[in-house]
Every structure is written in structure tokens, then in C-alpha cells.
Amino acid sequence: MSDFVLEADAVTKSFGALSVARDISFRLEKGARHGLIGPNGAGKTTFINLLTGVLTPDRGVVRLGGADVTRLTPEQRCRRGLARTFQINQLFPSLSALENVLLALTERDGRAWRFLRPLGQHADLIDEAMSLLAGLGLESIAARSVQELAYGQQRLVEIAIALASRPRVLLLDEPAAGVPGAESRLILDAIEALDPDIAVLVIEHDMDFIFRIARRISVLVAGAILVEGTPEEIAADPAVREVYLGETTHAH
Amino acid sequence: MADATRARERATAHVVTAHRWRWVEAAPWLVATGAFFLLPDYMTLGTQIVITVMFALSLDLILGFAGIITLGHAAYFGVGAYACGMLSAHLGWTEPVSALFAATLVAAFVGWLSGLVLMRYHGLTLLMLTLSVAILLQQLANTYSDFTGGFDGLTGIYFDPVFGVFEYDLWSHTHYWYALAWLAVVFVVARRIVYSPFGRSLVGIRENALRMHAVGAPVFRRQVAVYTVSAGIAGLSGALFAQANTFVTLDVLGFTRSGIIMIILILGGTGRLYGAFVGAIVYMVLEDELSKLTPEFWEFGVGLALVLVVLFARNGILGLLDRARSLLAERGR
Ligand SMILES: Nc1ncnc2c1ncn2[C@@H]1O[C@H](COP(=O)(O)OP(=O)(O)OP(=O)(O)O)[C@@H](O)[C@H]1O
Ligand SMILES: [Mg+2]
């Protein structure tokens, strides 16, 4: 067993002629707070899909807790402690926020095959779900169906579902994108309040957000890691400034 | 502190109390009992309705709850009907209850086997494949006419009185109570499943399979599991059909039957258990009454009703009732 809970080794993937992941090697240690930035279309979401098993790499290896998981399905990887949120919300739209979280909880707990005792009588899970929602400020809307919620709240439910899997590694794909300021703070607080042992990878375009959370940052450009370093190193890197920060500085 | 507890209770009530029986749920059983005493001459129709409710209920488990679409559910109804009929006609297995169990198991097995292939597909492919399974089975039944009676139908079906006591009668009174008792058993089982963690996970798959994968759900195995249960229940209803009619023809496996059960469920409302009751009663009573007048009018009427439901009442008749009730509640405020 290595200290690296999640590891990508020379992972490569192309969609036809478009190569979206080129020899990406990457490591997340236990307790990491890692940022992944890069321009639109750089391949950040694709990389998360490769790590979680939504996509299979053409070459390279993905390891979770030291074990090769390259051929495992997303559900198998989830059960080994890998959880994620999606850039575009993936919720259970007609169900309540509480039910959304409960679905993930019953899976994590291995109770989702039980077909006799009603879910409503699994009081311990319901309590746990409510505490999770409360931690994200969602307690008061627990009974509302998520399709009726404001976008920022839906974003929080998306995170609540991922946390319900009680992951060792958490991958967040632009958790605060499109979320208004106040709720964006809630998301920041939630990430900061996470168990320090969980390894967290955050993709975000908002630099303030990423600099608040990340202790290390990788910059992905055109499917390859351009550079990795501390936030200060990344902010000072001329190459990064050129391809990435330069653009945003101009935009301001 | 007490306030916080009460707020939490209010927020969780929709989950905590979801499975509790409500008074209205007595309605179908009161209607069924009332119908027996008020319309004793209609119990042949009544028996067919009860059987159809059970068949529609089996479809609701996969279509309404798990979101699995199918145009071939008659496959399992037909397997149940033939299995039960052949047990009696060829093997002389005339004890009705054990024959039903056996037919249910056979249908569930066929459901499991076909489910292992079918549940790997989605959308249009799945629709076509379910259709193919039913056609395939119908062709098999046609080809092996030595066993199935082929085009002429399977005759020589006979069953002993239920528990050796309740003789069958010309008015189907025994069959009616017999089928109704089975429906009650199946309904309680289906209702248990639907509110269990397993049942909720099926709804999760219907709502967003991608997310279910991402939270660690073995989606495929769950779908195969519910498909097997559904096929078993469909087979049980088919077996009841064989026992009530003492005659089985190829149309138990037919496309028409698959289509009509879908229409019935959509008409009543999917994913709510009681849609099967409402749909079957409305459809079959209207069919019985209207087709006596003019068959063309009936078929046109079914087509029109379906168009209206699909366009304006996506949740079926029960969905309409829900909406009316919430409108009234708002007015009342
Ligand atoms: N399934 C697919 N088939 C073909 N091309 C794809 C597929 N998924 C992504 N792409 C392409 O791969 C490239 C990388 O996409 P990806 O979504 O990973 O970028 P990203 O870094 O997450 O961008 P953004 O910041 O906009 O979310 C894009 O050019 C995209 O169009
Ligand atoms: Mg992306």
C-alpha cells in the first residue's frame, strides 16, 4: 500500500483523432486538497471520467488505494471509496433532497438489496441523511423535490450525494459553477469542513475559489499536465500565466 | 430544541410515513367485494379484470418504478399460462395452488434468463428486443404444437377444487375469489418491495441511472432482479388465466396483449401501484359495454383516450385525480 490513495499512471485517451488525455500521471495523497485548472475543453472532465471509470483509458493505469482499478466499473470504484460530483447536475429530479441522499446512503451501507423493511423504518440512515443535509444548510428543504430547488441548492444536493458515499477520495467537477455568491460560500465551507483524511480534487474556473481550497494545483492544457505546484508557484509560473491566468486577467 | 425536533420530523415525514397504509387503500378491495354482491352475474368479467390488474401490476414494477420499457411483457404472461395449462393437460397435475407456484417459478426463470440479455440494452433497442422475445416464444409455441396445441389451442386443462373444497361454478364465483386472494397476496408483496430500499433504488435507476452507477449501485443486477420478479408475477396472472379459462391459445403471448397491458397501465397511471387497478377496471368495463354497441366505436375510443392521456394527463387517471385534489386544496385555503 502506498500513501497515494488515487494514482493515474501515464493515462492516455483519444476520441478519434482528438487526444484528450496524453500520458497523464497524477497522484492524490491521503488528505490532499488538490486543484485542477485549465482552459475550456482542456480535458478536465474527461480526466475525472477516466479516474471514475465512466471512460476506460486507451493506455495507462488507474490505482485506488494501491490496487489497479483500471478495468473496474464506476460502481465498483465507488464501493472502494471513490465519489464524485458532476459538472452538470446528476440528481434524481422528481425525488426529494432527502430521498436523493438516502439513495446514496443505502448503497454505501449495503442495504439497497433489502426488500422487506420499508426505507422509512431505517431511522439511522434517515438521521444520517438529515445531518448531512443540515451540514450543507439544506435541512429546511429536505422534503422538496430537487427539480423545484434553486440551482445553487441543487448544486449542494449534488455534493451531499457524493458525501453520502463516505468517500476516501472525492472528485468535484466545478462544484461552484453558476452558483450565486452566498451559496458558493456554503460550498467552500462544506469542502473546508470535510474530514481531513479525505483526498479531494477540485476542478474550478474561479481562481479565488481554487486558491482558497487547494494546497497543490495541476494545470491541464490540451490533455496534458503543463505544470504542477503550490498555488504560489502556479500563480507565478509564466507559462501558466500565458495559457490560462493571462486570459482571465485580461478579461477582468 | 423541541422546535428543531418538530422541524426535522416534518422534513422527514414524507419518507418515514410513505409506506403506511392509508384509508383510501381499502377502496379497491371494497369495490371488489361490493361488485361481487351487486353484480354476481358479471363475475366472469370480474375474474378477467382481477387477472389483468395483476398483470398490469407486474408491468408497473418494471415500467413505472424501474423505468424499464417493454413491448413484450405478454411473453411471461404466456409462459405462465402455458406452463400451468400443460402441467394439467399433459402431466395430470391438477392441484391448482401448487400448479400456480410452479408456473410462477417457470415464468420467473424465463424472465431471469431473458433479463440477463435484455437489461444490457436501453431505449429503442430494448423495446425491439422485448418484442422479439415475445414473438420468439410465440413461434416456439406454434412450432411445438404437440405440447402446446399450437394454433388450435391447448385443451384438456382441468383443476381440482381449490383446497379440495371450493368447486368451480358456471358463474366464476370461485374463480373470482380465488384470483382476488392471489391479487391481494401479490399486491402486498409488490407494495413491500416498492417502499423498501431495494424498491427505492429502482426509482433511482429510473430517475438517473448514471448517478446510480456513481453512488455504487449495481444497476444491471438490480434491473435483472426486478425483471425476474415482474416476470414471475406476470406468469402468475397468466397461470390464473389458464385456470379460469381452462383453455390457452397462442394469443396469450401476442403483441396485442403486450400492447393493451401497456395502454391499461398508462391509462391508470404508472409508478403508483393503483394505476393498475384503475386502468384495468376502466378499460375492461368500457370495453365490455362499448364493444357490445359498436366494436369500431370502442377501438376508436381507446385510441382517442390514449392520445388525450398522453397529451394532457401524463400521469394517467390517478395523476388527474391528484391534480384535481391539490387544486381543490389550494382553493380551500
Ligand atoms: N464523449 C466524447 N466524445 C468525443 N469528444 C469528447 C467527448 N467528451 C469530451 N469530448 C471532447 O474532449 C475535449 C475535452 O472535454 P472535457 O469536457 O474533458 O473538457 P473540460 O476541460 O472539462 O472543459 P470545461 O472546462 O468546458 O468543462 C473537448 O474538446 C470535448 O469536446
Ligand atoms: Mg468539464
Side-chain angles (χ1 to χ4, degrees), chain A residues 39-46 87 173-174 203 205:
Chain A
N40 286 69
K44 303 180 295 294
T45 299
T46 304
Q87 182 169 355
D173 196 350
E174 303 197 21
I203 297 178
H205 284 294

PDB file of all heavy atoms in Angstrom, chain A residues 39-46 87 173-174 203 205, ligand 2:
ATOM      1  N   PRO A  39      -7.938  25.610 -19.371  1.00  0.00           N
ATOM      2  CA  PRO A  39      -8.953  26.267 -20.203  1.00  0.00           C
ATOM      3  C   PRO A  39     -10.087  25.322 -20.587  1.00  0.00           C
ATOM      4  O   PRO A  39      -9.978  24.114 -20.425  1.00  0.00           O
ATOM      5  CB  PRO A  39      -8.167  26.716 -21.438  1.00  0.00           C
ATOM      6  CG  PRO A  39      -6.839  26.065 -21.368  1.00  0.00           C
ATOM      7  CD  PRO A  39      -6.623  25.566 -19.990  1.00  0.00           C
ATOM      8  N   ASN A  40     -11.159  25.891 -21.107  1.00  0.00           N
ATOM      9  CA  ASN A  40     -12.294  25.083 -21.555  1.00  0.00           C
ATOM     10  C   ASN A  40     -11.846  24.061 -22.588  1.00  0.00           C
ATOM     11  O   ASN A  40     -11.063  24.377 -23.479  1.00  0.00           O
ATOM     12  CB  ASN A  40     -13.355  25.978 -22.201  1.00  0.00           C
ATOM     13  CG  ASN A  40     -14.105  26.770 -21.159  1.00  0.00           C
ATOM     14  OD1 ASN A  40     -13.536  27.661 -20.545  1.00  0.00           O
ATOM     15  ND2 ASN A  40     -15.330  26.425 -20.936  1.00  0.00           N
ATOM     16  N   GLY A  41     -12.339  22.846 -22.433  1.00  0.00           N
ATOM     17  CA  GLY A  41     -12.014  21.812 -23.409  1.00  0.00           C
ATOM     18  C   GLY A  41     -10.638  21.209 -23.217  1.00  0.00           C
ATOM     19  O   GLY A  41     -10.159  20.450 -24.056  1.00  0.00           O
ATOM     20  N   ALA A  42      -9.977  21.531 -22.094  1.00  0.00           N
ATOM     21  CA  ALA A  42      -8.628  21.009 -21.857  1.00  0.00           C
ATOM     22  C   ALA A  42      -8.646  19.514 -21.587  1.00  0.00           C
ATOM     23  O   ALA A  42      -7.642  18.827 -21.767  1.00  0.00           O
ATOM     24  CB  ALA A  42      -7.988  21.745 -20.683  1.00  0.00           C
ATOM     25  N   GLY A  43      -9.789  19.008 -21.122  1.00  0.00           N
ATOM     26  CA  GLY A  43      -9.880  17.579 -20.832  1.00  0.00           C
ATOM     27  C   GLY A  43     -10.016  17.275 -19.350  1.00  0.00           C
ATOM     28  O   GLY A  43      -9.781  16.146 -18.915  1.00  0.00           O
ATOM     29  N   LYS A  44     -10.434  18.272 -18.567  1.00  0.00           N
ATOM     30  CA  LYS A  44     -10.530  18.084 -17.117  1.00  0.00           C
ATOM     31  C   LYS A  44     -11.639  17.079 -16.764  1.00  0.00           C
ATOM     32  O   LYS A  44     -11.418  16.138 -15.995  1.00  0.00           O
ATOM     33  CB  LYS A  44     -10.809  19.436 -16.424  1.00  0.00           C
ATOM     34  CG  LYS A  44      -9.764  20.504 -16.736  1.00  0.00           C
ATOM     35  CD  LYS A  44     -10.053  21.812 -16.049  1.00  0.00           C
ATOM     36  CE  LYS A  44     -11.327  22.497 -16.504  1.00  0.00           C
ATOM     37  NZ  LYS A  44     -11.294  22.964 -17.897  1.00  0.00           N
ATOM     38  N   THR A  45     -12.818  17.298 -17.352  1.00  0.00           N
ATOM     39  CA  THR A  45     -13.928  16.381 -17.074  1.00  0.00           C
ATOM     40  C   THR A  45     -13.610  14.981 -17.590  1.00  0.00           C
ATOM     41  O   THR A  45     -13.885  13.981 -16.930  1.00  0.00           O
ATOM     42  CB  THR A  45     -15.218  16.913 -17.719  1.00  0.00           C
ATOM     43  OG1 THR A  45     -15.511  18.184 -17.138  1.00  0.00           O
ATOM     44  CG2 THR A  45     -16.377  15.966 -17.484  1.00  0.00           C
ATOM     45  N   THR A  46     -12.990  14.930 -18.755  1.00  0.00           N
ATOM     46  CA  THR A  46     -12.593  13.632 -19.307  1.00  0.00           C
ATOM     47  C   THR A  46     -11.663  12.911 -18.346  1.00  0.00           C
ATOM     48  O   THR A  46     -11.794  11.707 -18.124  1.00  0.00           O
ATOM     49  CB  THR A  46     -11.889  13.837 -20.663  1.00  0.00           C
ATOM     50  OG1 THR A  46     -12.766  14.552 -21.524  1.00  0.00           O
ATOM     51  CG2 THR A  46     -11.524  12.505 -21.290  1.00  0.00           C
ATOM     52  N   GLN A  87     -20.171  17.909 -13.394  1.00  0.00           N
ATOM     53  CA  GLN A  87     -20.191  19.311 -13.835  1.00  0.00           C
ATOM     54  C   GLN A  87     -21.628  19.736 -14.118  1.00  0.00           C
ATOM     55  O   GLN A  87     -22.042  20.837 -13.771  1.00  0.00           O
ATOM     56  CB  GLN A  87     -19.330  19.456 -15.092  1.00  0.00           C
ATOM     57  CG  GLN A  87     -19.241  20.879 -15.603  1.00  0.00           C
ATOM     58  CD  GLN A  87     -18.169  21.011 -16.686  1.00  0.00           C
ATOM     59  OE1 GLN A  87     -17.439  20.073 -16.988  1.00  0.00           O
ATOM     60  NE2 GLN A  87     -18.076  22.188 -17.262  1.00  0.00           N
ATOM     61  N   ASP A 173     -16.266  18.272  -9.786  1.00  0.00           N
ATOM     62  CA  ASP A 173     -16.134  18.901 -11.103  1.00  0.00           C
ATOM     63  C   ASP A 173     -16.897  20.217 -11.119  1.00  0.00           C
ATOM     64  O   ASP A 173     -18.113  20.234 -11.254  1.00  0.00           O
ATOM     65  CB  ASP A 173     -16.651  17.938 -12.183  1.00  0.00           C
ATOM     66  CG  ASP A 173     -16.201  18.349 -13.587  1.00  0.00           C
ATOM     67  OD1 ASP A 173     -15.658  19.469 -13.732  1.00  0.00           O
ATOM     68  OD2 ASP A 173     -16.397  17.556 -14.522  1.00  0.00           O
ATOM     69  N   GLU A 174     -16.179  21.307 -10.985  1.00  0.00           N
ATOM     70  CA  GLU A 174     -16.742  22.656 -10.956  1.00  0.00           C
ATOM     71  C   GLU A 174     -17.946  22.761 -10.019  1.00  0.00           C
ATOM     72  O   GLU A 174     -19.057  23.081 -10.443  1.00  0.00           O
ATOM     73  CB  GLU A 174     -17.138  23.096 -12.378  1.00  0.00           C
ATOM     74  CG  GLU A 174     -15.936  23.023 -13.317  1.00  0.00           C
ATOM     75  CD  GLU A 174     -16.131  23.822 -14.596  1.00  0.00           C
ATOM     76  OE1 GLU A 174     -16.984  24.725 -14.603  1.00  0.00           O
ATOM     77  OE2 GLU A 174     -15.412  23.543 -15.568  1.00  0.00           O
ATOM     78  N   ILE A 203     -12.006  20.677  -9.528  1.00  0.00           N
ATOM     79  CA  ILE A 203     -11.882  21.431 -10.776  1.00  0.00           C
ATOM     80  C   ILE A 203     -12.664  22.718 -10.600  1.00  0.00           C
ATOM     81  O   ILE A 203     -13.800  22.679 -10.105  1.00  0.00           O
ATOM     82  CB  ILE A 203     -12.488  20.647 -11.957  1.00  0.00           C
ATOM     83  CG1 ILE A 203     -11.726  19.345 -12.185  1.00  0.00           C
ATOM     84  CG2 ILE A 203     -12.493  21.500 -13.223  1.00  0.00           C
ATOM     85  CD1 ILE A 203     -12.315  18.502 -13.304  1.00  0.00           C
ATOM     86  N   HIS A 205     -13.060  26.952 -12.347  1.00  0.00           N
ATOM     87  CA  HIS A 205     -12.527  28.064 -13.136  1.00  0.00           C
ATOM     88  C   HIS A 205     -12.305  29.291 -12.259  1.00  0.00           C
ATOM     89  O   HIS A 205     -11.480  30.142 -12.553  1.00  0.00           O
ATOM     90  CB  HIS A 205     -13.489  28.422 -14.275  1.00  0.00           C
ATOM     91  CG  HIS A 205     -13.432  27.441 -15.412  1.00  0.00           C
ATOM     92  ND1 HIS A 205     -12.317  27.283 -16.192  1.00  0.00           N
ATOM     93  CD2 HIS A 205     -14.339  26.562 -15.885  1.00  0.00           C
ATOM     94  CE1 HIS A 205     -12.543  26.348 -17.102  1.00  0.00           C
ATOM     95  NE2 HIS A 205     -13.769  25.886 -16.929  1.00  0.00           N
TER      96      HIS A 205
HETATM   97 MG    MG C   2     -15.544  19.989 -17.730  1.00  0.00          MG
END
